C-alpha cells in the first residue's frame, strides 16, 4: 500500500545552495576590501617613498651646488695669488662654463700645450666662441683641432660654416667637402656645399650636391628652391619651372618662387605672365628688392619709363652702390627724358664697375636672392 510522506520529513528545496551563495558573496566582499586596503597602503607608502627620494635628491643637489660654489670661490681666490696657474684656470673654466661662458673663455685661454688636457680646453674655447658668436676666437681654436684630429669631421664642418659666414668661400668649400669625405653623409652637409657654391658664383656646380640632398631628404623645401635657382641660371628652364612650381605648391606665398617663375616667363618672352607673377611676389613681400628690380626691368621693356622711374627712385639712397639698380634707374630716366640724370647715373655705374675691377679677385659673386625668413619663402 502506497503511503504519502509526511510534510515535515521533506527537505526544503535549494536550502543548502543558498547558504553557499551567501557565503561566497561575503568572502568576495572581504577579499575586495582587503585588496583595496592593501592598494591604498602601498600607494600611500609609494608616495611617501617618492617624496622622501625627491627631498633627498634636492638635498644632494643643494649640497653639490654649495660645494661647487665653495670650490669656485676657492679657485678665484687662489688665482688672484697665482694668476699663471693653468691647472687652476682649467678647473675654474670647467666649473663656470655654463654659468659664465665669457669668463670661462678667459680661463681656458690661459691653458697651454703643456697642460695634459690642453685640447679639451681648445675645444671648449671653440664651443663657447661659436655659441657666443665670436668667430675670431672660434676659428684659431678649430684650426688647432683640425691639425690635431684631421679625421674628426665635425671640426671640418664647423670651420666650413665659420668661413662661409665670413665670406671666405674657397676655404669654406675646402672644409665642407672634407667633412663629407670623412663620412658626413647628411643632407645638411650637401646643402652647405651647395650654398657655398651659390655664393661663390659657381652656380652650375650646385646641381650635384643638391641632388644628393634630395636623395636623402626628397621633400626638403630649401633644396628644391636652390635647385630652381641653379637650373634657372644655367639655362635649364624646364627644371627651373618644375622646381619653382613645386615650391609654390608647398608655400603659395613664396615671393622667391614667384619671382623665379616671373624670370622664366621673361626669358621665354611672356612679359604679361612675368608681370603677373612679379605682382604676386610683391603682394607676398612688398619690400622684396629683387622683385622690385625685376618689375622695373619689365616696365622698361614695355617702354613704361615713368612707372619704372617712380618705382626705383625712392630706393636710390639704400641701393646707390648696386650696379644693377643704378643701371636700371639710368635707363628709366633716359626713357622719360631726364638726360642729365641718366648721364650722371651712367657715370656712377662706370665708377662702380671700376671699383669692382680694382677689388682683389675672389670666388664671391653677387646673389640675386636676398636672405629671407622661411615664412616668406
Amino acid at each position: 500500500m502506497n503511503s504519502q510522506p509526511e510534510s515535515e520529513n521533506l527537505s526544503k528545496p535549494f536550502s543548502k545552495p543558498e547558504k553557499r551563495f551567501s557565503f561566497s558573496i561575503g568572502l568576495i566582499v572581504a577579499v575586495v576590501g582587503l585588496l583595496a586596503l592593501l592598494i591604498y597602503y602601498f600607494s600611500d607608502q609609494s608616495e611617501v617613498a617618492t617624496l622622501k627620494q625627491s627631498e633627498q635628491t634636492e638635498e644632494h643637489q643643494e649640497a653639490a651646488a654649495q660645494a661647487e660654489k665653495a670650490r669656485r670661490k676657492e679657485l678665484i681666490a687662489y688665482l688672484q695669488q697665482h694668476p699663471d696657474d693653468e691647472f687652476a684656470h682649467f678647473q675654474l673654466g670647467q666649473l663656470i662654463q655654463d654659468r659664465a661662458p665669457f669668463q670661462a673663455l678667459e680661463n681656458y685661454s690661459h691653458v697651454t700645450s703643456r697642460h695634459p688636457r690642453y685640447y679639451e680646453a681648445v675645444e671648449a674655447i671653440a664651443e663657447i666662441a661659436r655659441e657666443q658668436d665670436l668667430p675670431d676666437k672660434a676659428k684659431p681654436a678649430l684650426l688647432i683641432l683640425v691639425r690635431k684630429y684631421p679625421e674628426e669631421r665635425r671640426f671640418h664642418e664647423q670651420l666650413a660654416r665659420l668661413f662661409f659666414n665670413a665670406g671666405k668661400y674657397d676655404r669654406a668649400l675646402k672644409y665642407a667637402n672634407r667633412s663629407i669625405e670623412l663620412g658626413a653623409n647628411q643632407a645638411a652637409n650637401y646643402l652647405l656645399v651647395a650654398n657655398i657654391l651659390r655664393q661663390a658664383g659657381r652656380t652650375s656646380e650646385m646641381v650635384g650636391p643638391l641632388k644628393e640632398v634630395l636623395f636623402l631628404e626628397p621633400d626638403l623645401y630649401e633644396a628644391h628652391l636652390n635647385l630652381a635657382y641653379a637650373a634657372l641660371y644655367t639655362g635649364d628652364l624646364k627644371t627651373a619651372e618644375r622646381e619653382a612650381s613645386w615650391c609654390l605648391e608647398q608655400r603659395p606665398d613664396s615671393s622667391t618662387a614667384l619671382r623665379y617663375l616671373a624670370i622664366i616667363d621673361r626669358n621665354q618672352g611672356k612679359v604679361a605672365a612675368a608681370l603677373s607673377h612679379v605682382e604676386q611676389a610683391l603682394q607676398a613681400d612688398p619690400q622684396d628688392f629683387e622683385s622690385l628690380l625685376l618689375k622695373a626691368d619689365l616696365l622698361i621693356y614695355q617702354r613704361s619709363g615713368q612707372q619704372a622711374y617712380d618705382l626705383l627712385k625712392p630706393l636710390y639712397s639704400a641701393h646707390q652702390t648696386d650696379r644693377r639698380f643704378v643701371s636700371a634707374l639710368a635707363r628709366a630716366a633716359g626713357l622719360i627724358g631726364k638726360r642729365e640724370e641718366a648721364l650722371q647715373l651712367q657715370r656712377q655705374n662706370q665708377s662702380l664697375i671700376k671699383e669692382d675691377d680694382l677689388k682683389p679677385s675672389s670666388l664671391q659673386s653677387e646673389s640675386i636672392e636676398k636672405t629671407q625668413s622661411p615664412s616668406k619663402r
Side-chain angles (χ1 to χ4, degrees):
M1 169 173 135
N2 293 332
S3 61
Q4 295 292 330
E6 295 181 4
S7 60
E8 65 265 19
N9 294 328
L10 296 174
S11 300
K12 293 181 179 181
F14 305 112
S15 58
K16 290 182 179 179
E18 283 180 359
K19 288 180 180 180
R20 290 193 189 104
F21 184 67
S22 175
F23 174 76
S24 299
I25 291 176
L27 180 61
I28 291 170
V29 171
V31 170
V32 170
L34 179 61
L35 287 173
L37 286 172
L38 289 171
I39 291 170
Y40 175 79
Y41 173 78
F42 285 111
S43 174
D44 187 57
Q45 291 297 311
S46 176
E47 289 179 4
V48 170
T50 301
L51 183 61
K52 287 182 178 179
Q53 185 178 7
S54 177
E55 290 175 351
Q56 290 174 353
T57 300
E58 289 178 3
E59 289 174 1
H60 290 155
Q61 289 175 344
E62 180 65 24
Q66 291 298 326
E68 182 181 314
K69 185 177 180 180
R71 180 59 176 157
R72 286 201 308 270
K73 288 183 176 180
E74 179 185 346
L75 285 168
I76 291 170
Y78 175 81
L79 284 168
Q80 288 175 346
Q81 301 297 321
H82 305 87
D84 297 327
D85 190 327
E86 58 187 283
F87 286 85
H89 277 294
F90 181 84
Q91 292 177 45
L92 184 57
Q94 284 188 307
L95 284 175
I96 66 174
Q97 183 169 338
D98 295 331
R99 183 186 301 272
F102 288 101
Q103 182 56 50
L105 194 64
E106 173 65 21
N107 290 120
Y108 283 128
S109 67
H110 288 276
V111 179
T112 70
S113 57
R114 296 189 301 270
H115 195 286
R117 300 175 70 179
Y118 167 67
Y119 291 104
E120 289 182 48
V122 174
E123 186 172 356
I125 289 171
E127 180 182 348
I128 295 170
R130 286 189 303 107
E131 290 176 352
Q132 304 302 323
D133 194 22
L134 300 169
D136 289 340
K137 291 188 178 296
K139 277 185 280 190
L142 285 169
L143 287 168
I144 291 171
L145 293 169
V146 162
R147 287 193 292 269
K148 175 63 178 177
Y149 307 107
E151 303 300 313
E152 186 59 63
R153 62 175 178 262
R154 62 194 172 98
F155 297 142
H156 289 272
E157 182 183 348
Q158 291 166 11
L159 264 177
R161 295 188 183 280
L162 285 174
F163 281 122
F164 176 51
N165 293 335
K168 297 180 179 180
Y169 303 121
D170 52 344
R171 300 192 72 181
L173 192 61
K174 168 189 170 183
Y175 287 107
N177 281 328
R178 183 58 180 153
S179 72
I180 292 174
E181 290 171 4
L182 292 170
N185 190 33
Q186 299 294 321
N189 301 108
Y190 288 103
L191 190 59
L192 174 60
V193 170
N195 285 329
I196 294 169
L197 290 168
R198 173 176 181 155
Q199 294 302 321
R202 296 163 61 171
T203 311
S204 61
E205 297 176 53
M206 293 172 60
V207 176
L210 286 173
K211 286 183 176 179
E212 293 288 348
V213 174
L214 291 172
F215 175 78
L216 295 166
E217 293 190 32
D219 295 326
L220 188 60
Y221 180 85
E222 188 179 353
H224 283 282
L225 194 65
N226 271 282
L227 186 55
Y229 169 87
L232 177 59
Y233 288 95
T234 53
D236 185 358
L237 298 185
K238 182 178 180 181
T239 298
E241 185 173 11
R242 182 193 70 217
E243 295 299 320
S245 297
W246 184 93
C247 291
L248 199 61
E249 288 176 3
Q250 311 306 309
R251 301 183 187 177
D253 61 345
S254 169
S255 62
T256 304
L258 285 163
R259 188 172 72 249
Y260 288 172
L261 289 171
I263 295 171
I264 293 167
D265 290 332
R266 182 197 62 184
N267 292 355
Q268 293 175 335
K270 303 173 184 176
V271 178
L275 275 169
S276 175
H277 275 128
V278 83
E279 288 290 358
Q280 292 177 60
L282 287 169
Q283 287 177 10
D285 183 6
Q287 304 304 316
D288 182 10
F289 172 70
E290 298 297 339
S291 293
L292 290 167
L293 197 59
L294 176 58
K295 181 180 178 180
D297 181 68
L298 292 167
L299 290 171
I300 290 169
Y301 179 82
Q302 290 187 321
R303 313 296 294 177
S304 302
Q306 189 64 54
Q307 286 180 264
Y309 183 85
D310 292 342
L311 183 67
L312 293 174
K313 187 62 176 179
L315 306 174
Y316 178 79
S317 61
H319 300 283
Q320 57 185 301
T321 59
D322 188 311
R323 285 166 45 192
R324 298 169 304 147
F325 171 81
V326 173
S327 175
L329 184 57
R331 285 181 287 137
L335 277 176
I336 60 175
K338 293 180 177 288
R339 295 182 179 179
E340 289 298 323
E341 183 177 356
L343 287 171
Q344 187 274 327
L345 288 166
Q346 289 172 4
R347 287 193 291 269
Q348 183 178 341
N349 193 39
Q350 289 297 320
S351 177
L352 291 171
I353 292 172
K354 289 178 181 178
E355 286 179 13
D356 285 345
D357 289 342
L358 291 172
K359 290 177 182 178
S361 60
S362 169
L363 286 175
Q364 183 177 5
S365 69
E366 293 175 346
S367 169
I368 67 142
E369 181 188 10
K370 74 173 186 178
T371 302
Q372 292 182 316
S373 62
S375 61
K376 289 187 178 181
R377 286 189 171 183

